[in-house]
Amino acid sequence: ASLPLSAGLWAQRPVRPRGEPRGRTPRAEHAAEAEDVVRCVRGSVDVEGVSIPVAVWCQDSRRPTGGGGAWVPTEEYGYTVDIGRIASKLRVGWLSWLPSRTYSLAPAGVPPWRGAACASQARAGDALLFAHGFLGSPFDMAHACEALASDGFVVAAPELPESLAASYEAREGVTREAIVAATQAALGDEPRRWGIWGHSAGSGTALSQ
């Protein structure tokens, strides 16, 4: 079933925001403190023997248990750019010597807008998947993933074959469609509604589902 994407409710990080959003009451503040903290956890799924990195944003109580290993919380996003590997994939092998760099990016951490006109649309078990574009990254829309997770969704973002990180060698059968299916399976067996959204080439992935 399709999911309505809500907006305007932003993820609350463990560090309290400096400012207090307009309209927040003491009662709402107490409710915010009692909620699960939204975190990003990193794990992997197996597709045709290849380990595919996946980032998942969720409340602590909804942390995934499936997949190819443990789901480890991370407090920053490792944004990797491997120019040499990308050159090889583009069949410009003589540039394969070019370097790889990893940048540590902090989460957006924008606080929820309590009392906003757009109320939460998430139900128990609802999940979303973000598909990045060509030469993209699972963290391209991390701020939106944080926001949707704070609204009650489990949000997964796998590293697709044409990523900037190029952290694995794609082989026959390791397709965007197969990675999407494996990611969905890794997030649990409970009945859930799924939504998918993407950027650039990821939009084509979303429309093909």
Side-chain angles (χ1 to χ4, degrees):
S2 61
L3 288 174
L5 295 183
S6 61
L9 295 176
W10 298 93
Q12 180 161 334
R13 302 299 303 171
V15 178
R16 293 177 60 84
R18 295 179 181 177
E20 183 176 294
R22 184 189 312 168
R24 176 174 288 186
T25 64
R27 181 176 179 180
E29 181 72 25
H30 177 75
E33 292 177 354
E35 288 180 346
D36 284 341
V37 174
V38 171
R39 299 188 189 279
C40 178
V41 296
R42 302 186 70 175
S44 64
V45 297
D46 183 271
V47 178
E48 300 292 333
V50 177
S51 180
I52 309 296
V54 180
V56 176
W57 289 262
C58 58
Q59 295 171 347
D60 273 342
S61 63
R62 299 182 181 182
R63 190 176 301 183
T65 57
W71 293 89
V72 180
T74 179
E75 294 299 326
E76 56 187 23
Y77 305 143
Y79 199 98
T80 300
V81 181
D82 192 327
I83 304 174
R85 290 284 294 276
I86 292 168
S88 297
K89 287 188 174 186
L90 296 177
R91 300 183 179 180
V92 191
W94 62 277
L95 291 177
S96 60
W97 58 271
L98 289 170
S100 172
R101 296 285 177 87
T102 297
Y103 304 89
S104 295
L105 305 181
V110 183
W113 188 270
R114 301 289 168 186
C118 46
S120 172
Q121 299 296 319
R123 302 176 188 173
D126 281 354
L128 296 168
L129 187 143
F130 168 65
H132 66 72
F134 184 73
L135 299 185
S137 162
F139 301 112
D140 283 351
M141 292 287 177
H143 59 292
C145 295
E146 290 180 32
L148 290 163
S150 76
D151 207 15
F153 294 97
V154 174
V155 187
E159 182 186 313
L160 299 170
E162 312 86 359
S163 75
L164 273 173
S167 67
Y168 58 88
E169 292 289 348
R171 61 180 68 167
E172 186 176 356
V174 183
T175 63
R176 283 176 169 253
E177 292 73 21
I179 293 171
V180 167
T183 301
Q184 290 176 322
L187 294 190
D189 300 325
E190 66 174 330
R192 64 173 69 239
R193 298 188 304 165
W194 268 99
I196 181 170
W197 56 294
H199 171 256
S200 190
S203 301
T205 302
L207 291 173
S208 69
Q209 298 301 305

